[in-house]
Amino acid sequence: SDEQGRYALRVPVERYTVDVTHEAYAPESTFMDLQVDEARDFELVPGGRLLGEVVDDHDAPVADAQVTLAAGFRSSTVRTSDDGRFTSAHATASSVFVVARKGKLRGALAEPVAVAPMETKNVRVTLSPGATVEGVVKTAEGAALEGARIRERGWDQTETKS
């Protein structure tokens, strides 16, 4: 946007999700079924902030852990510092799910965190070794099926393959 906040997008007639972001505000998204020229204003609100630390199951800080924050259809990822701390500025004014991982260690907050505009919340995520899922892949007739690919995708869209 320009110095007066104006913007213009020239796009084909289609359906779109329009995302508006600014480093000092919570992001905003809207769905548009664009058939003709349309005016659409956006009002951004200051975001909240999550301050957190990631520790292992012995309370030791976990450096360089991947922390995923998800709210609605939006997610972002940050990394922890050497002392296991992370900051996420401009969180949306809603419930934020927090998941962390490093190597085979996994952890998540039991409940989403509600973050209001301009509010700061502190969170702590404890990582522990992940659980194992095992079983047998069979055909409908009950025969073992060799060569099947197995993967999990957590809600944070990271994958583990077998």
Side-chain angles (χ1 to χ4, degrees), residues 74-98:
R74 294 187 204 105
S75 67
S76 63
T77 301
V78 296
R79 293 247 177 221
T80 58
S81 59
D82 290 342
D83 63 357
R85 298 191 179 280
F86 68 91
T87 300
S88 175
H90 317 303
T92 58
S94 64
S95 295
V96 179
F97 291 88
V98 181

Side-chain angles (χ1 to χ4, degrees), residues 2 7-9 19 50-51 60 78 81 83 86 89 94-96 100 103 107 119 126 130-131 140 150 162:
D2 68 14
Y7 74 95
L9 298 174
D19 297 316
L50 284 179
L51 302 178
V78 296
S81 59
D83 63 357
F86 68 91
S94 64
S95 295
V96 179
E119 178 182 33
T126 302
I150 293 82
S162 169

Side-chain angles (χ1 to χ4, degrees), residues 136-152:
V136 177
V137 178
K138 299 178 183 179
T139 65
E141 294 78 30
L145 183 61
E146 182 180 356
R149 291 183 297 170
I150 293 82
R151 69 179 182 156
E152 65 84 21

Side-chain angles (χ1 to χ4, degrees), residues 5 12 15 19 31 35 40 55 57-58 64 67 74 84 90 93 96 98 100 107 113 115 124 130 135 155:
R15 292 182 174 150
D19 297 316
F31 176 78
Q35 301 300 316
R40 181 74 59 103
V55 298
D57 51 3
H58 301 291
D64 199 39
V67 181
R74 294 187 204 105
H90 317 303
V96 179
V98 181
V113 179
V115 182
R124 185 174 199 201
W155 63 264

